[in-house]
Amino acid sequence: MIILVINTGSSSIKYELFDMKDRKILARGLAERIGEESGILTYEIVPAGGKPTKKREKGLIADHQEGLKRIVDLLVDPEHGAVADKSEIAAVGHRVVHGGEAFKATTIIDGNVIAAIKKNIPLAPLHNPANLTGIEVAGSVFPDATQVAVFDTAFHQTIPGHAFLYAIPYEMYERYKVRRYGFHGTSHAYIAETAAEYLGRPTGELNLITIHLGNGASMAAIGNGNCIDTTMGMTPLAGLVMGTRSGDVDPSIPFFLADHLKMSFRDIDDLLNKKSGLKGICGANDMREVIERKEAGDKRAEIAIDIYTYRIKKFIGAYFAALGSLDALIFTAGIGENSPYIRELSCRGLDKLGIEIDPERNNKAGGGIREINSAEMEVKVMVIPTNEELKIAQETKKVIEKGRGIT
Ligand code: ADP
């Protein structure tokens, strides 16, 4: 089964084409700056064992419809294409950011599903409209393919009330659905399943803490395979310190900023989402640069790293308490996969909880799944590269086969 995975943003379409027979990537790329003269379309075809062919086209991509059509032209190009005809693509798997409470799992898209995603627009005003555009455009470009929605929030729908409710008037939840939803669910679910496969144990038997550290960052506590808590909240602003997002702050800070600095609602939103986090503390939001600055003696960079890793450590302790016992702690995404330093600082001093990193294993170069805990410790500490696109393709295949009665 050949599946196209697309992640549609307000001015971009990221895509990956998979052959699910062997979970292999056939092609991938990005249409970006859609609607601008400076549009860019990139395409990489990945032949079996061969050298990838890369292409880059510059110039206006008028809208998402044109963007996807041009992607398809590249996919079926007789010389460099990945498939002979677009009819070979059986399904399109869409990343949808907010499924609200309506979606607890991946679902085949129909009119009702589109209406429910629309209903969740107030919860994700920047993302859900773009995701809907992707669904609409893919429906017209691939009229015969099954369209499937995979939600960032679905994995967290097992979180119990005591962890997803905020202590504010209950009507806010009942009437307006103000609650914790959590994000990065596709990544946390992929990591949990991959860990279970690696450890040779059923997911339902495992207690895990998964730590996704990319530009956005979040953690999940997974008890017997089900997510029981996560650091992001009603929006992706809550929880850990991120590249430019503050993570948890005292909820009264916005009132202080409005009262004393006369900042507008929009300015405060901008401050917390785009000017805070690592960037707000030390001026750089790329962790590689922050580490370099710290090594060069920059005190602000040092403080930024201390705040960043202390927050992670605090949540490890909290989630250990919530789970009662822990089988594995897993780092993933750009920083989690690539920075031994951040992993080490986040776990330092946790040996009483059975968590200790082995410096040699932690610092060893190379990618892939690996264990980095001291051999004698109870809790496995692991690095597992995330692959949200593959997970979306797997989910898409599963839901189609289920629909056909194949289990
Ligand atoms: P996104 O959330 O956009 O998918 P990524 O998962 O690619 O982000 O993570 C991006 C982050 O990973 C950046 O802060 C980048 O600096 C960081 N990163 C990548 N490689 C390294 C490295 N070797 N050491 C430290 N941080 C790294």
Side-chain angles (χ1 to χ4, degrees):
M1 187 185 294
I2 295 184
I3 293 176
L4 179 66
V5 171
I6 65 174
N7 181 354
T8 312
S10 56
S11 63
S12 66
I13 305 173
K14 194 175 167 200
Y15 65 96
E16 270 186 39
L17 187 70
F18 289 91
D19 186 345
M20 296 311 288
K21 214 169 45 227
D22 44 12
R23 296 178 176 186
K24 203 171 78 70
I25 298 181
L26 299 174
R28 67 177 150 217
L30 178 68
E32 56 189 320
R33 299 194 201 155
I34 292 174
E36 290 177 43
E37 290 299 333
S38 58
I40 304 173
L41 181 61
T42 51
Y43 173 76
E44 182 182 342
I45 178 165
V46 193
K51 216 172 146 243
T53 304
K54 288 190 184 177
K55 276 191 180 185
R56 192 178 162 90
E57 295 174 4
K58 285 188 176 170
L60 178 71
I61 305 167
D63 52 22
H64 286 79
Q65 180 89 11
E66 186 194 319
L68 191 59
K69 277 195 176 146
R70 282 175 55 186
I71 290 168
V72 174
D73 289 344
L74 288 166
L75 292 176
V76 302
D77 182 89
E79 204 182 331
H80 298 296
V83 287
D85 191 90
K86 71 176 180 182
S87 62
E88 287 179 40
I89 297 169
V92 183
H94 296 265
R95 175 186 182 213
V96 181
V97 167
H98 219 307
E101 288 190 325
F103 297 105
K104 300 188 188 325
T106 297
T107 182
I108 291 177
I109 297 170
D110 59 17
N112 291 333
V113 170
I114 290 174
I117 297 172
K118 272 194 190 139
K119 219 173 139 196
N120 285 324
I121 287 177
L123 295 171
L126 296 179
H127 293 101
N128 275 22
N131 300 154
L132 282 164
T133 304
I135 291 169
E136 193 186 314
V137 167
S140 75
V141 175
F142 297 99
D144 300 324
T146 311
Q147 308 285 329
V148 173
V150 183
F151 298 93
D152 270 14
T153 46
F155 180 65
H156 302 300
Q157 278 295 306
T158 48
I159 294 177
H162 61 255
F164 79 62
L165 286 166
Y166 296 120
I168 59 174
Y170 197 73
E171 306 82 75
M172 293 295 154
Y173 167 59
E174 282 185 313
R175 295 182 62 177
Y176 306 108
K177 297 292 168 210
V178 175
R179 51 159 287 178
R180 180 189 306 284
Y181 291 97
F183 300 86
H184 290 145
T186 312
S187 177
H188 290 292
Y190 176 80
I191 295 307
E193 280 164 26
T194 308
E197 227 170 81
Y198 175 88
L199 297 169
R201 292 174 60 188
T203 321
E205 271 181 18
L206 291 175
N207 281 359
L208 307 169
I209 296 176
T210 48
I211 309 177
H212 177 114
L213 305 176
N215 283 313
S218 69
M219 290 170 58
I222 301 168
N224 297 323
N226 290 321
C227 186
I228 63 156
D229 206 349
T230 191
T231 54
M232 283 179 167
M234 175 160 158
T235 74
L237 180 58
L240 300 179
V241 175
M242 307 179 218
T244 63
R245 282 175 246 166
S246 62
D248 289 346
V249 293
D250 181 331
S252 288
I253 289 175
F255 310 129
F256 174 87
L257 298 176
D259 272 353
H260 291 269
L261 303 181
K262 306 293 171 223
M263 285 177 75
S264 69
F265 172 76
R266 222 164 259 292
D267 287 344
I268 296 171
D269 186 55
D270 209 49
L271 179 116
L272 294 174
N273 273 294
K274 299 193 181 136
K275 296 180 180 156
S276 295
L278 296 170
K279 189 174 186 181
I281 302 288
C282 74
N285 62 292
D286 187 302
M287 186 55 95
R288 279 167 294 203
E289 195 183 333
V290 180
I291 294 172
E292 273 167 24
R293 286 191 190 189
K294 188 208 153 164
E295 283 166 355
D298 182 335
K299 281 283 162 216
R300 288 280 195 90
E302 183 176 342
I303 292 169
I305 290 172
D306 287 348
I307 301 173
Y308 187 92
T309 52
Y310 176 69
R311 185 81 53 90
I312 296 169
K313 187 193 288 193
K314 241 175 29 170
F315 274 112
I316 294 174
Y319 287 172
F320 196 110
L323 290 164
S325 70
L326 186 62
D327 295 296
L329 178 81
I330 306 150
F331 287 92
T332 194
I335 299 168
E337 290 167 32
N338 295 301
S339 179
Y341 183 54
I342 296 297
R343 293 194 295 258
E344 199 271 319
L345 285 180
S346 304
C347 293
R348 193 178 280 178
L350 295 179
D351 50 306
K352 292 275 191 302
L353 299 182
I355 299 166
E356 188 178 79
I357 285 184
D358 176 83
E360 204 178 313
R361 287 168 120 186
N362 188 33
N363 285 303
K364 207 163 142 193
I369 303 175
R370 52 211 189 271
E371 289 177 37
I372 56 168
N373 54 289
S374 302
E376 69 276 10
M377 295 311 270
E378 263 167 62
V379 177
K380 296 253 184 239
V381 182
M382 299 176 67
V383 178
I384 300 183
T386 194
N387 193 337
E388 286 163 280
E389 289 75 20
L390 174 60
K391 176 71 179 154
I392 293 173
Q394 288 171 331
E395 287 278 310
T396 300
K397 178 170 178 264
K398 207 159 68 181
V399 85
I400 291 173
E401 288 179 344
K402 207 166 147 200
R404 289 184 193 151
I406 308 165
T407 48

